[in-house]
Amino acid sequence: MGRVRGVLTRPVVAGALVVAVVMVGVGLYWFQPWKLWQDETVREALPEATAAEPADNSAGEEATVQGTPVPEPAAPVTLASGDLISHEHATSGTVKLLRLADGSHIVRLEDLDTSNGPDLRVWLTDAPVKEGRAGWFVFDDGRHESLGKLKGNKGSHNYRLPEGLDPADFTSISIWCDRFDVSFGAAELVRV
């Protein structure tokens, strides 16, 4: 027992143990392997349609604003859609590019099911969607716009496009792992 204690108290061995513990800590932070067993489900509703405020309608008459009928709320319009395919991790669901009544645009992920991972993002890109390994590294080669962190690896969620961004310039969506520069899954946006 005295020999083991003597070896462990040597500065070189103690330094190596400290370096090993730090490296294990950095590796755990970087890869975050526990996320493979943790699911985050987010169920966001589609943004509400908007219309002008109706006048007081206590008499049961047709709602009007200054004598003209109030239009029905405008529903979001689907401009493009596509189905997610798997790349680095099994991924499924539907992607829709929608124009809202106020003229803004959102990307909606519906019934998303993918692995959780570190630093996942939703990218709007101009890259082609390729199956399998060929599709892993194409999305950062061309133009891409990050719409933000992935809100959850399961469920349905919305991502607003920045003002002034023309959605017609983009042809695909990727669930992108920014830490490892790889696509978990992607969908080609087919114009409706």
Side-chain angles (χ1 to χ4, degrees):
M1 189 65 156
R3 284 179 72 181
V4 172
R5 184 177 299 166
V7 168
L8 291 177
T9 57
R10 291 185 184 159
V12 172
V13 174
L17 285 174
V18 168
V19 168
V21 168
V22 168
M23 288 178 64
V24 166
V26 168
L28 286 173
Y29 169 76
W30 190 255
F31 288 96
Q32 299 178 0
W34 57 87
K35 285 197 170 187
L36 290 174
W37 297 281
Q38 294 176 334
D39 288 328
E40 292 182 48
T41 302
V42 174
R43 300 214 184 279
E44 276 187 322
L46 194 59
E48 293 288 324
T50 58
E53 292 268 334
D56 181 17
N57 194 8
S58 57
E61 301 166 2
E62 184 177 324
T64 61
V65 174
Q66 297 179 358
T68 60
V70 174
E72 288 295 315
V77 176
T78 302
L79 302 177
S81 66
D83 293 325
L84 287 161
I85 64 166
S86 300
H87 281 153
E88 178 68 16
H89 292 269
T91 302
S92 63
T94 305
V95 175
K96 292 182 180 177
L97 175 61
L98 303 169
R99 184 179 60 236
L100 303 179
D102 64 3
S104 65
H105 296 88
I106 63 166
V107 166
R108 178 160 173 83
L109 303 178
E110 292 184 337
D111 302 319
L112 174 67
D113 188 1
T114 191
S115 298
N116 205 343
D119 207 14
L120 293 180
R121 309 277 175 168
V122 177
W123 274 15
L124 189 59
T125 78
D126 65 355
V129 176
K130 298 178 182 177
E131 299 237 12
R133 188 173 178 86
W136 286 2
F137 303 103
V138 301
F139 295 101
D140 58 349
D141 292 342
R143 184 168 181 212
H144 60 273
E145 183 73 33
S146 177
L147 302 180
K149 287 189 174 262
L150 186 68
K151 296 175 182 177
N153 64 309
K154 295 186 181 298
S156 299
H157 7 109
N158 307 312
Y159 299 87
R160 189 169 294 278
L161 273 61
E163 254 184 71
L165 186 70
D166 186 359
D169 293 342
F170 299 94
T171 58
S172 60
I173 298 289
S174 175
I175 307 300
W176 184 257
C177 180
D178 217 20
R179 180 157 302 160
F180 295 106
D181 291 329
V182 69
S183 174
F184 273 36
E188 181 179 351
L189 291 173
V190 179
R191 305 292 171 193
V192 178

